[in-house]
Amino acid sequence: MTKPNQPISGNDLARFSGPSTFMRLPQAASLDGLDVAFVGIPMDIGTSWRSGTRFGPRQIRAESAMIRPYHIQTGAAPFDSLNMADIGDLAINTFSLADSLRIIAESYDAILKHSVVPVALGGDHSITLPILRAIARKHGPVALVHIDAHADVNDEMFGEKETHGTVFRRAYEEGLIDPEHTYQVGLRGTGYLATDFSEPQSWGFQIWQAPDLWHRSLAGLGAEIRRDIGNRPTYVTYDIDSLDPAYAPGTGTPEIGGLTTAQAMELIRGLRGLNIIGCDMVEVSPPYDTTGNTALTAANLVFELLCVLPGVTYR
Ligand code: MN
Ligand code: MN
């Protein structure tokens, strides 16, 4: 058996050079033999406030050059056992949101013909609906772990049914997710209606609002969610605005009083053992990321997600 693809080491080639792929992994034209594929979805036309997430994939990849392959704290060695590559960006239609969502769904249908875990680098959160449509065609309704400041369950925005703020109402209506195994973590902020969070709870969603998590370790929460899900196929969607704007200011719709970076890491580490069949990192907006910390944090949280994928070796 050949060794899985390895990221280029910062000791072999200066971090500021080499391919602009996630962790400077090989860029792959084919999905054959891959266990994990990174896919950029450079899109911000589903956004309601600040734009800029079209630059997210490129900047997350750039900051990922800093990451080393072994997770010292948990022992995870994701590149020892899983073969990963970056398959580049989807050719979305930046002049049409509807066409872009169609392109994403069709691209995912093709990707999911292979036994590969796609890791999407967004892009605004509207990308997750077509991803879930393709995922559900393959796996049926999936369990969903959704970390976000927002529930993203509006019925419509400006009369539009498909936006970054309507994703999980559509996913629920279309039967793409199992509402009894849908977990929303980090919600906060003001509402359009007083019922913005209680309505999804009435569908079965379990919600942890950020203020209920302040000053707490989230290690137990991750484990609680994992136990509740069991071995169901699970999709994890990570909206970077779940973090407090102090940690992740570079995003389109920031809300104060969010999670800390440490809490996000604890939460993801607690998901180890889940049957994760896909995940995404969305809403990183580099034009508002004046320090670069948002993309850096997003890249590292993607690494944390890699470390809890099925089949990862621990040392
Ligand atoms: Mn969102
Ligand atoms: Mn959000």
Side-chain angles (χ1 to χ4, degrees):
M1 191 185 125
T2 51
K3 201 177 177 201
N5 290 335
Q6 297 295 305
I8 295 174
S9 169
N11 287 331
D12 292 335
L13 182 68
R15 294 188 191 287
F16 37 83
S17 59
S20 308
T21 54
F22 191 79
M23 287 181 74
R24 303 192 300 173
L25 284 156
Q27 173 125 15
S30 160
L31 291 151
D32 291 338
L34 293 184
D35 301 305
V36 177
F38 298 93
V39 53
I41 310 182
M43 205 180 82
D44 56 14
I45 54 176
T47 303
S48 56
W49 177 225
R50 302 164 168 179
S51 57
T53 55
R54 64 179 61 186
F55 299 109
R58 176 161 294 191
Q59 201 58 34
I60 293 169
R61 289 182 174 116
E63 296 293 349
S64 74
M66 177 74 191
I67 304 170
R68 304 169 195 87
Y70 289 95
H71 197 306
I72 302 285
Q73 286 82 39
T74 67
F79 302 99
D80 280 11
S81 53
L82 297 180
N83 195 36
M84 308 195 205
D86 193 323
I87 59 170
D89 289 340
L90 299 188
I92 60 102
N93 177 353
T94 198
F95 301 107
S96 168
L97 177 57
D99 194 37
S100 292
L101 300 190
R102 177 191 64 76
I103 290 165
I104 295 166
E106 289 179 2
S107 301
Y108 263 70
D109 282 335
I111 290 169
L112 293 170
K113 289 200 169 76
H114 302 253
S115 62
V116 66
V117 174
V119 178
L121 310 173
D124 70 68
H125 220 156
S126 64
I127 69 170
T128 303
L129 181 61
I131 291 173
L132 287 172
R133 284 173 176 155
I135 292 265
R137 276 193 280 274
K138 176 167 177 176
H139 295 281
V142 290
L144 181 76
V145 181
H146 171 207
I147 305 125
D148 199 326
H150 311 98
D152 295 346
V153 293
N154 294 301
D155 185 21
E156 51 183 49
M157 303 177 87
F158 285 81
E160 298 294 329
K161 292 281 194 181
E162 295 176 336
T163 77
H164 78 151
T166 57
V167 174
F168 301 102
R169 181 182 292 263
R170 294 292 94 76
Y172 164 69
E173 289 172 345
E174 296 178 19
L176 312 179
I177 55 175
D178 170 2
E180 302 291 332
H181 294 95
T182 292
Y183 310 81
Q184 297 185 305
V185 181
L187 308 191
R188 60 192 188 274
T190 45
Y192 289 104
L193 297 169
T195 51
D196 276 2
F197 296 162
S198 52
E199 191 183 6
Q201 283 176 311
S202 76
W203 307 335
F205 290 17
Q206 297 182 58
I207 288 177
W208 288 266
Q209 293 191 47
D212 298 324
L213 304 174
W214 288 346
H215 321 297
R216 269 182 54 186
S217 164
L218 297 198
L221 177 57
E224 184 185 331
I225 290 172
R226 171 173 45 75
R227 280 192 298 271
D228 205 41
I229 291 176
N231 62 5
R232 291 175 174 80
T234 303
Y235 190 82
V236 181
T237 182
Y238 200 103
D239 185 328
I240 200 68
D241 71 26
S242 57
L243 293 177
D244 192 89
Y247 301 96
T251 194
T253 46
E255 305 282 357
I256 65 167
L259 306 183
T260 68
T261 304
Q263 284 181 311
M265 295 163 85
E266 288 174 327
L267 178 63
I268 294 171
R269 290 176 194 185
L271 301 179
R272 176 179 167 186
L274 274 183
N275 179 18
I276 296 172
I277 44 83
C279 57
D280 62 49
M281 173 58 66
V282 298
E283 297 285 350
V284 173
S285 179
Y288 290 92
D289 194 16
T290 53
T291 63
N293 264 348
T294 310
L296 175 72
T297 302
N300 277 277
L301 292 179
V302 170
F303 178 73
E304 294 281 348
L305 284 165
L306 296 183
C307 288
V308 296
L309 291 182
V312 168
T313 303
Y314 283 78
R315 306 217 168 271

